[in-house]
Protein backbone atom coordinates (compact mmCIF):
# COMPACT_ATOMS: atom_id res chain seq x y z
CA UNK A 1 0.00 0.00 0.00
CA UNK A 2 1.25 3.47 -0.80
CA UNK A 3 0.06 5.54 2.18
CA UNK A 4 -1.86 3.28 4.53
CA UNK A 5 -3.24 6.12 6.61
CA UNK A 6 -5.14 8.68 4.58
CA UNK A 7 -8.38 6.72 4.00
CA UNK A 8 -10.14 5.27 7.04
CA UNK A 9 -12.14 2.11 6.38
CA UNK A 10 -14.21 1.68 9.52
CA UNK A 11 -17.47 2.73 7.85
CA UNK A 12 -17.15 0.45 4.81
CA UNK A 13 -19.85 -2.19 4.24
CA UNK A 14 -20.15 -5.58 2.54
CA UNK A 15 -23.14 -6.52 0.40
CA UNK A 16 -24.78 -9.87 1.02
CA UNK A 17 -23.36 -12.46 -1.39
CA UNK A 18 -26.70 -13.08 -3.16
CA UNK A 19 -27.28 -9.35 -3.73
CA UNK A 20 -23.78 -8.95 -5.13
CA UNK A 21 -24.00 -12.02 -7.35
CA UNK A 22 -27.34 -10.89 -8.80
CA UNK A 23 -25.93 -7.43 -9.52
CA UNK A 24 -22.87 -8.92 -11.22
CA UNK A 25 -24.74 -11.34 -13.49
CA UNK A 26 -24.78 -9.18 -16.60
CA UNK A 27 -23.02 -6.03 -15.54
CA UNK A 28 -22.64 -4.45 -19.00
CA UNK A 29 -20.56 -1.30 -18.65
CA UNK A 30 -20.91 1.38 -15.99
CA UNK A 31 -24.32 0.76 -14.50
CA UNK A 32 -23.59 -1.54 -11.56
CA UNK A 33 -21.65 -0.11 -8.61
CA UNK A 34 -19.88 -1.94 -5.80
CA UNK A 35 -20.70 -1.60 -2.11
CA UNK A 36 -18.31 1.23 -1.29
CA UNK A 37 -16.63 4.36 -2.60
CA UNK A 38 -13.58 6.33 -1.56
CA UNK A 39 -14.04 9.98 -0.67
CA UNK A 40 -11.84 12.93 0.33
CA UNK A 41 -12.21 16.69 0.55
CA UNK A 42 -10.01 19.68 -0.11
CA UNK A 43 -10.30 23.17 1.35
CA UNK A 44 -7.79 25.96 0.92
CA UNK A 45 -7.43 26.12 4.71
CA UNK A 46 -6.97 22.41 5.45
CA UNK A 47 -5.64 20.96 2.20
CA UNK A 48 -6.70 17.37 1.39
CA UNK A 49 -8.39 15.70 4.37
CA UNK A 50 -11.31 13.55 5.50
CA UNK A 51 -10.24 10.50 3.48
CA UNK A 52 -12.58 7.54 4.00
CA UNK A 53 -14.07 4.47 2.36
CA UNK A 54 -17.82 4.69 2.82
CA UNK A 55 -20.93 2.95 1.44
CA UNK A 56 -21.73 3.95 -2.15
CA UNK A 57 -24.59 6.49 -1.82
CA UNK A 58 -26.01 9.67 -3.37
CA UNK A 59 -24.36 13.01 -2.53
CA UNK A 60 -25.89 16.22 -1.26
CA UNK A 61 -24.39 19.14 -3.19
CA UNK A 62 -25.73 22.71 -3.31
CA UNK A 63 -26.89 23.83 -6.78
CA UNK A 64 -24.55 26.78 -6.32
CA UNK A 65 -21.46 24.50 -6.35
CA UNK A 66 -19.02 25.83 -8.94
CA UNK A 67 -18.88 22.57 -10.87
CA UNK A 68 -22.48 22.97 -12.07
CA UNK A 69 -21.75 26.35 -13.63
CA UNK A 70 -18.17 26.37 -14.88
CA UNK A 71 -17.43 22.65 -15.23
CA UNK A 72 -14.31 22.42 -13.09
CA UNK A 73 -14.27 18.63 -13.09
CA UNK A 74 -11.78 15.89 -13.96
CA UNK A 75 -11.82 12.12 -13.83
CA UNK A 76 -9.83 8.95 -14.45
CA UNK A 77 -10.49 5.37 -15.45
CA UNK A 78 -8.48 2.28 -14.51
CA UNK A 79 -9.20 -1.38 -13.87
CA UNK A 80 -8.65 -4.01 -11.19
CA UNK A 81 -8.00 -7.42 -12.72
CA UNK A 82 -8.54 -10.92 -11.42
CA UNK A 83 -5.32 -12.78 -11.94
CA UNK A 84 -5.07 -16.31 -13.30
CA UNK A 85 -3.37 -17.31 -10.02
CA UNK A 86 -6.36 -16.05 -7.99
CA UNK A 87 -4.80 -12.74 -6.91
CA UNK A 88 -5.82 -9.22 -7.95
CA UNK A 89 -3.87 -6.41 -9.53
CA UNK A 90 -4.03 -2.91 -10.94
CA UNK A 91 -2.49 -1.91 -14.26
CA UNK A 92 -0.18 1.13 -14.23
CA UNK A 93 -2.16 3.06 -11.55
CA UNK A 94 0.81 5.40 -11.18
CA UNK A 95 0.23 6.60 -14.76
CA UNK A 96 -3.40 7.46 -13.91
CA UNK A 97 -2.30 9.20 -10.70
CA UNK A 98 0.14 11.37 -12.71
CA UNK A 99 -2.43 12.17 -15.39
CA UNK A 100 -4.95 13.13 -12.68
CA UNK A 101 -2.44 15.68 -11.35
CA UNK A 102 -1.85 17.05 -14.86
CA UNK A 103 -5.58 17.30 -15.55
CA UNK A 104 -6.05 19.14 -12.23
CA UNK A 105 -3.30 21.59 -13.10
CA UNK A 106 -4.84 22.33 -16.51
CA UNK A 107 -8.23 22.98 -14.91
CA UNK A 108 -6.66 25.15 -12.16
CA UNK A 109 -7.79 22.66 -9.48
CA UNK A 110 -5.96 21.54 -6.33
CA UNK A 111 -3.94 18.47 -7.43
CA UNK A 112 -4.54 15.31 -5.44
CA UNK A 113 -1.16 13.95 -4.30
CA UNK A 114 -0.28 10.84 -6.31
CA UNK A 115 0.16 8.73 -3.17
CA UNK A 116 -3.34 9.67 -1.98
CA UNK A 117 -4.78 8.72 -5.39
CA UNK A 118 -2.93 5.39 -5.24
CA UNK A 119 -4.10 4.64 -1.71
CA UNK A 120 -7.71 5.41 -2.64
CA UNK A 121 -7.81 3.00 -5.58
CA UNK A 122 -5.86 0.28 -3.79
CA UNK A 123 -7.99 0.38 -0.63
CA UNK A 124 -11.27 0.43 -2.51
CA UNK A 125 -10.12 -2.45 -4.74
CA UNK A 126 -9.19 -4.54 -1.71
CA UNK A 127 -12.35 -3.79 0.27
CA UNK A 128 -14.57 -4.50 -2.73
CA UNK A 129 -12.48 -7.36 -4.12
CA UNK A 130 -15.50 -9.69 -4.23
CA UNK A 131 -16.90 -7.36 -6.92
CA UNK A 132 -14.09 -8.17 -9.35
CA UNK A 133 -15.42 -10.41 -12.13
CA UNK A 134 -13.28 -13.41 -13.00
CA UNK A 135 -13.90 -13.95 -16.74
CA UNK A 136 -11.14 -12.90 -19.16
CA UNK A 137 -11.89 -9.44 -20.52
CA UNK A 138 -13.98 -8.54 -17.44
CA UNK A 139 -12.70 -6.42 -14.56
CA UNK A 140 -13.62 -3.95 -11.85
CA UNK A 141 -13.51 -0.51 -13.46
CA UNK A 142 -12.48 2.28 -11.07
CA UNK A 143 -13.66 5.82 -11.69
CA UNK A 144 -11.84 8.50 -9.68
CA UNK A 145 -13.56 11.88 -10.07
CA UNK A 146 -12.88 15.34 -8.61
CA UNK A 147 -15.03 18.45 -8.82
CA UNK A 148 -15.29 22.03 -7.59
CA UNK A 149 -17.60 22.02 -4.59
CA UNK A 150 -17.35 25.60 -3.34
CA UNK A 151 -20.78 27.25 -3.10
CA UNK A 152 -20.39 30.56 -4.92
CA UNK A 153 -21.11 32.04 -8.34
CA UNK A 154 -18.30 33.70 -10.31
CA UNK A 155 -15.76 32.46 -12.85
CA UNK A 156 -12.75 31.59 -10.73
CA UNK A 157 -11.03 28.49 -9.40
CA UNK A 158 -12.85 26.87 -6.52
CA UNK A 159 -11.26 26.89 -3.07
CA UNK A 160 -12.96 23.55 -2.26
CA UNK A 161 -12.93 20.20 -4.04
CA UNK A 162 -14.52 16.81 -3.54
CA UNK A 163 -12.88 13.57 -4.64
CA UNK A 164 -14.58 10.18 -5.04
CA UNK A 165 -13.67 6.80 -6.44
CA UNK A 166 -16.47 4.56 -7.67
CA UNK A 167 -16.08 0.91 -8.68
CA UNK A 168 -18.13 -0.94 -11.31
CA UNK A 169 -17.81 -4.57 -12.33
CA UNK A 170 -17.67 -4.48 -16.15
CA UNK A 171 -17.65 -6.79 -19.13
CA UNK A 172 -17.00 -5.71 -22.71
CA UNK A 173 -17.32 -1.99 -23.43
CA UNK A 174 -18.85 -2.73 -26.83
CA UNK A 175 -21.73 -5.21 -26.87
CA UNK A 176 -20.25 -7.01 -29.83
CA UNK A 177 -16.64 -5.91 -29.36
CA UNK A 178 -15.02 -8.85 -31.10
CA UNK A 179 -16.52 -8.07 -34.48
CA UNK A 180 -14.99 -4.61 -34.70
CA UNK A 181 -16.50 -1.13 -34.73
CA UNK A 182 -17.48 1.36 -37.43
CA UNK A 183 -16.44 5.01 -37.26
CA UNK A 184 -18.00 8.24 -38.47
CA UNK A 185 -15.49 10.97 -39.40
CA UNK A 186 -16.67 14.18 -37.78
CA UNK A 187 -16.24 17.18 -40.07
CA UNK A 188 -18.73 19.48 -38.36
CA UNK A 189 -17.42 19.17 -34.83
CA UNK A 190 -14.00 19.24 -33.18
CA UNK A 191 -13.16 17.64 -29.88
CA UNK A 192 -10.27 19.89 -28.91
CA UNK A 193 -8.21 22.82 -30.18
CA UNK A 194 -4.62 23.90 -29.71
CA UNK A 195 -4.20 25.47 -26.27
CA UNK A 196 -7.49 23.95 -25.13
CA UNK A 197 -8.11 21.06 -22.74
CA UNK A 198 -7.79 18.11 -25.15
CA UNK A 199 -4.98 16.45 -23.24
CA UNK A 200 -6.78 16.76 -19.87
CA UNK A 201 -9.33 14.18 -18.80
CA UNK A 202 -12.05 16.68 -17.98
CA UNK A 203 -15.78 16.24 -18.35
CA UNK A 204 -16.07 19.26 -20.65
CA UNK A 205 -14.20 17.45 -23.42
CA UNK A 206 -16.76 14.66 -23.32
CA UNK A 207 -19.72 17.02 -23.24
CA UNK A 208 -18.27 18.65 -26.36
CA UNK A 209 -18.03 15.28 -28.10
CA UNK A 210 -21.62 14.16 -27.57
CA UNK A 211 -23.24 15.95 -30.53
CA UNK A 212 -20.61 14.40 -32.79
CA UNK A 213 -21.23 10.97 -31.27
CA UNK A 214 -24.98 11.41 -31.80
CA UNK A 215 -24.25 12.30 -35.45
CA UNK A 216 -22.16 9.11 -35.74
CA UNK A 217 -25.07 7.07 -34.45
CA UNK A 218 -27.50 8.71 -36.85
CA UNK A 219 -25.09 7.66 -39.59
CA UNK A 220 -25.28 4.07 -38.36
CA UNK A 221 -21.75 4.10 -36.91
CA UNK A 222 -20.58 2.96 -33.48
CA UNK A 223 -18.17 5.80 -32.68
CA UNK A 224 -16.98 9.16 -33.91
CA UNK A 225 -13.38 9.85 -34.94
CA UNK A 226 -12.16 13.43 -34.70
CA UNK A 227 -9.84 15.36 -37.01
CA UNK A 228 -7.63 18.25 -35.94
CA UNK A 229 -9.68 21.42 -35.48
CA UNK A 230 -7.55 23.75 -37.60
CA UNK A 231 -7.05 21.91 -40.90
CA UNK A 232 -9.74 19.22 -40.54
CA UNK A 233 -7.18 16.92 -42.06
CA UNK A 234 -5.26 14.96 -39.43
CA UNK A 235 -6.83 12.04 -37.61
CA UNK A 236 -6.65 12.61 -33.84
CA UNK A 237 -8.67 10.15 -31.73
CA UNK A 238 -12.12 8.81 -30.92
CA UNK A 239 -14.43 10.28 -28.28
CA UNK A 240 -12.98 7.97 -25.62
CA UNK A 241 -10.14 6.02 -27.25
CA UNK A 242 -6.83 6.53 -29.04
CA UNK A 243 -6.29 5.14 -32.52
CA UNK A 244 -3.62 3.01 -34.27
CA UNK A 245 -3.09 2.13 -37.93
CA UNK A 246 -1.47 -1.13 -39.08
CA UNK A 247 0.33 -1.33 -42.41
CA UNK A 248 1.04 -4.15 -44.81
CA UNK A 249 4.76 -3.97 -44.00
CA UNK A 250 3.86 -4.90 -40.38
CA UNK A 251 4.51 -1.45 -38.87
CA UNK A 252 2.01 0.46 -36.74
CA UNK A 253 1.38 4.19 -36.40
CA UNK A 254 -0.54 6.48 -34.06
CA UNK A 255 -1.02 10.27 -34.12
CA UNK A 256 1.54 12.16 -32.01
CA UNK A 257 0.41 13.80 -28.76
CA UNK A 258 0.33 17.48 -29.53
CA UNK A 259 -1.82 18.81 -26.71
CA UNK A 260 -5.15 18.01 -28.34
CA UNK A 261 -5.11 14.24 -27.78
CA UNK A 262 -5.54 12.43 -24.48
CA UNK A 263 -2.25 10.68 -23.60
CA UNK A 264 -3.78 7.25 -23.14
CA UNK A 265 -2.18 4.74 -20.81
CA UNK A 266 -3.17 1.99 -23.25
CA UNK A 267 -1.69 3.95 -26.18
CA UNK A 268 1.60 4.24 -24.34
CA UNK A 269 1.48 0.55 -23.39
CA UNK A 270 0.83 -0.48 -27.01
CA UNK A 271 3.83 1.56 -28.20
CA UNK A 272 6.09 -0.09 -25.60
CA UNK A 273 4.64 -3.56 -26.19
CA UNK A 274 5.15 -3.18 -29.95
CA UNK A 275 8.82 -2.40 -29.44
CA UNK A 276 9.15 -5.52 -27.28
CA UNK A 277 7.36 -7.67 -29.88
CA UNK A 278 9.59 -6.39 -32.70
CA UNK A 279 6.80 -4.36 -34.33
CA UNK A 280 7.97 -1.03 -35.73
CA UNK A 281 5.84 1.74 -34.18
CA UNK A 282 5.69 5.40 -35.19
CA UNK A 283 4.04 8.49 -33.72
CA UNK A 284 3.26 10.45 -36.88
CA UNK A 285 0.48 12.54 -38.34
CA UNK A 286 -1.87 10.65 -40.67
CA UNK A 287 -4.43 12.42 -42.82
CA UNK A 288 -7.94 11.18 -43.41
CA UNK A 289 -7.28 11.31 -47.18
CA UNK A 290 -4.20 9.11 -46.81
CA UNK A 291 -6.07 6.71 -44.55
CA UNK A 292 -8.80 6.27 -47.15
CA UNK A 293 -6.28 5.91 -50.00
CA UNK A 294 -4.14 3.41 -48.05
CA UNK A 295 -7.16 1.34 -47.00
CA UNK A 296 -8.35 1.21 -50.62
CA UNK A 297 -4.91 0.36 -52.05
CA UNK A 298 -4.24 -2.31 -49.43
CA UNK A 299 -1.22 -0.49 -47.96
CA UNK A 300 -3.16 -0.21 -44.67
CA UNK A 301 -4.49 -3.56 -43.52
CA UNK A 302 -5.83 -2.99 -39.99
CA UNK A 303 -6.78 -0.21 -37.59
CA UNK A 304 -7.73 -0.35 -33.95
CA UNK A 305 -8.96 1.84 -31.13
CA UNK A 306 -7.51 1.47 -27.65
CA UNK A 307 -8.29 2.59 -24.13
CA UNK A 308 -8.76 1.22 -20.63
CA UNK A 309 -12.50 0.72 -21.14
CA UNK A 310 -12.40 -0.70 -24.68
CA UNK A 311 -8.96 -2.43 -24.37
CA UNK A 312 -8.04 -2.97 -28.05
CA UNK A 313 -10.95 -2.99 -30.47
CA UNK A 314 -10.56 -3.39 -34.20
CA UNK A 315 -12.02 -0.82 -36.59
CA UNK A 316 -13.74 -2.45 -39.53
CA UNK A 317 -15.37 0.39 -41.44
CA UNK A 318 -15.05 4.17 -41.77
CA UNK A 319 -17.77 6.49 -43.08
CA UNK A 320 -17.29 10.09 -44.23
CA UNK A 321 -19.70 12.68 -45.59
CA UNK A 322 -19.04 11.67 -49.21
CA UNK A 323 -17.32 8.31 -49.11
CA UNK A 324 -16.70 5.24 -47.02
CA UNK A 325 -14.15 2.46 -46.80
CA UNK A 326 -13.66 -0.93 -45.21
CA UNK A 327 -10.40 -1.84 -43.54
CA UNK A 328 -8.70 -5.06 -44.58
CA UNK A 329 -11.10 -7.98 -44.46
CA UNK A 330 -13.39 -6.09 -42.07
CA UNK A 331 -12.35 -8.46 -39.27
CA UNK A 332 -9.80 -8.07 -36.46
CA UNK A 333 -6.37 -8.60 -38.05
CA UNK A 334 -3.35 -10.51 -36.80
CA UNK A 335 -1.41 -7.53 -35.45
CA UNK A 336 -4.44 -6.16 -33.59
CA UNK A 337 -5.08 -9.54 -31.99
CA UNK A 338 -1.43 -10.09 -31.18
CA UNK A 339 -1.20 -6.77 -29.34
CA UNK A 340 -4.56 -7.26 -27.62
CA UNK A 341 -3.65 -10.72 -26.35
CA UNK A 342 -0.18 -9.62 -25.24
CA UNK A 343 -1.76 -6.76 -23.26
CA UNK A 344 -4.52 -8.92 -21.71
CA UNK A 345 -1.96 -11.59 -20.82
CA UNK A 346 0.16 -9.09 -18.88
CA UNK A 347 -2.89 -7.54 -17.22
CA UNK A 348 -4.25 -10.91 -16.09
CA UNK A 349 -0.88 -12.21 -14.91
CA UNK A 350 -0.87 -14.96 -17.56
CA UNK A 351 2.35 -13.57 -19.04
CA UNK A 352 5.48 -12.08 -17.51
CA UNK A 353 5.40 -8.31 -17.01
CA UNK A 354 8.79 -7.13 -18.22
CA UNK A 355 7.75 -3.47 -17.84
CA UNK A 356 6.80 -3.41 -14.14
CA UNK A 357 3.28 -2.27 -15.06
CA UNK A 358 1.29 -4.66 -12.89
CA UNK A 359 0.71 -3.61 -9.30
CA UNK A 360 -0.26 -6.68 -7.36
CA UNK A 361 -2.64 -6.03 -4.45
CA UNK A 362 -3.36 -9.58 -3.29
C1 LIG B 1 -10.57 10.84 -25.22
C2 LIG B 1 -9.86 9.62 -24.79
N1 LIG B 1 -8.80 9.21 -25.49
C3 LIG B 1 -8.10 8.12 -25.15
C4 LIG B 1 -8.46 7.35 -24.06
C5 LIG B 1 -7.65 6.16 -23.67
O1 LIG B 1 -6.94 6.40 -22.50
P1 LIG B 1 -6.52 5.23 -21.51
O2 LIG B 1 -5.79 4.24 -22.35
O3 LIG B 1 -5.65 5.87 -20.50
O4 LIG B 1 -7.76 4.68 -20.95
C6 LIG B 1 -9.58 7.72 -23.31
C7 LIG B 1 -10.01 6.91 -22.18
O5 LIG B 1 -9.90 7.26 -21.09
C8 LIG B 1 -10.28 8.88 -23.67
O6 LIG B 1 -11.35 9.28 -22.96
Amino acid sequence: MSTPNFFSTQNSVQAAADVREAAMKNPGFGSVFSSNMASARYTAADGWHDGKIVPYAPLTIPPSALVFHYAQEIFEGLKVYSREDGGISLFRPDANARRFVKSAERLAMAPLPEEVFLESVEKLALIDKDWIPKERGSSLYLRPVMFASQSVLGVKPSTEYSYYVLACPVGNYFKDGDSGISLWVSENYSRAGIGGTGEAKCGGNYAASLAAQAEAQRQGCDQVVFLDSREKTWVEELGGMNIFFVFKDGSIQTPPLGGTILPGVTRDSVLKLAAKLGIEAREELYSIEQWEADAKSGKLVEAFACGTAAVITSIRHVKRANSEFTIGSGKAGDTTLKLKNALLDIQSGKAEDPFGWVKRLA
Side-chain angles (χ1 to χ4, degrees):
M1 299 290 290
S2 307
T3 50
N5 301 320
F6 191 85
F7 290 87
S8 76
T9 57
Q10 75 249 23
N11 291 323
S12 64
V13 292
Q14 297 292 335
D18 56 334
V19 172
R20 187 182 64 241
E21 277 156 23
M24 287 175 71
K25 256 220 166 87
N26 276 313
F29 198 99
S31 46
V32 173
F33 295 91
S34 71
S35 302
N36 297 287
M37 62 185 183
S39 104
R41 288 189 335 114
Y42 174 92
T43 57
D46 296 330
W48 284 102
H49 61 283
D50 203 17
K52 52 196 177 196
I53 308 287
V54 290
Y56 174 84
L59 307 175
T60 304
I61 307 169
S64 50
L66 281 171
V67 64
F68 296 128
H69 308 272
Y70 315 112
Q72 236 192 336
E73 185 268 357
I74 58 171
F75 64 98
E76 267 303 326
L78 66 166
K79 285 176 169 173
V80 196
Y81 300 88
S82 258
R83 298 172 59 82
E84 299 233 327
D85 60 13
I88 65 169
S89 56
L90 286 162
F91 184 70
R92 305 189 69 183
D94 48 322
N96 297 93
R98 264 196 309 279
R99 190 169 65 187
F100 203 56
V101 168
K102 289 206 149 167
S103 296
E105 287 169 352
R106 179 61 185 84
L107 276 278
M109 302 170 84
L112 183 75
E114 287 176 36
E115 64 275 14
V116 175
F117 179 101
L118 290 172
E119 189 196 328
S120 68
V121 294
E122 289 170 13
K123 269 199 176 153
L124 183 62
L126 282 167
I127 284 180
D128 279 349
K129 65 180 180 330
D130 291 341
W131 288 86
I132 308 170
K134 299 223 164 16
E135 308 75 54
R136 185 171 168 89
S138 301
S139 54
L140 187 67
Y141 183 80
L142 300 181
R143 165 54 55 85
V145 58
M146 189 215 290
F147 57 84
S149 46
Q150 187 186 359
S151 163
V152 64
L153 298 185
V155 182
K156 59 186 174 184
S158 181
T159 59
E160 295 173 22
Y161 296 95
S162 295
Y163 170 71
Y164 294 92
V165 186
L166 320 178
C168 332
V170 297
N172 271 341
Y173 188 67
F174 293 111
K175 262 198 211 107
D176 197 11
D178 287 342
S179 63
I181 54 171
S182 55
L183 302 186
W184 166 250
V185 181
S186 176
E187 282 165 33
N188 291 327
Y189 300 105
S190 297
R191 178 185 170 274
I194 293 164
T197 55
E199 67 183 347
K201 204 161 167 61
C202 60
N205 289 342
Y206 298 83
S209 75
L210 296 178
Q213 176 63 25
E215 192 177 70
Q217 272 153 356
R218 283 197 298 278
Q219 292 290 338
C221 297
D222 298 305
Q223 289 284 307
V224 57
V225 57
F226 290 100
L227 304 177
D228 74 290
S229 63
R230 206 201 300 244
E231 296 179 58
K232 293 269 173 25
T233 297
W234 309 105
V235 181
E236 292 208 320
E237 63 174 324
L238 278 57
M241 281 153 266
N242 293 116
I243 190 164
F244 275 85
F245 309 99
V246 182
F247 296 90
K248 200 172 173 196
D249 67 4
S251 65
I252 67 172
Q253 183 170 327
T254 190
L257 303 173
T260 54
I261 294 178
L262 190 85
V265 178
T266 319
R267 174 190 179 279
D268 183 71
S269 307
V270 167
L271 286 170
K272 295 192 165 113
L273 211 45
K276 194 91 191 162
L277 295 172
I279 297 170
E280 182 197 329
R282 296 179 297 276
E283 292 175 84
E284 263 174 38
L285 293 173
Y286 197 48
S287 73
I288 180 64
E289 295 304 336
Q290 195 66 47
W291 187 10
E292 177 161 2
D294 289 350
K296 286 182 172 166
S297 74
K299 185 175 171 200
L300 173 128
V301 290
E302 303 172 32
F304 62 85
C306 68
T308 299
V311 196
I312 287 180
T313 301
S314 73
I315 297 164
R316 65 181 150 75
H317 194 77
V318 180
K319 192 171 175 192
R320 307 175 63 187
N322 297 313
S323 60
E324 50 191 301
F325 53 98
T326 295
I327 295 172
S329 62
K331 298 209 177 78
D334 291 347
T335 303
T336 303
L337 289 175
K338 189 172 171 183
L339 286 162
K340 178 178 178 177
N341 285 325
L343 186 64
L344 284 174
D345 285 350
I346 292 178
Q347 289 170 335
S348 64
K350 187 172 172 191
E352 278 291 294
D353 168 23
F355 306 96
W357 286 338
V358 171
K359 173 127 201 204
R360 201 172 172 139
L361 301 182

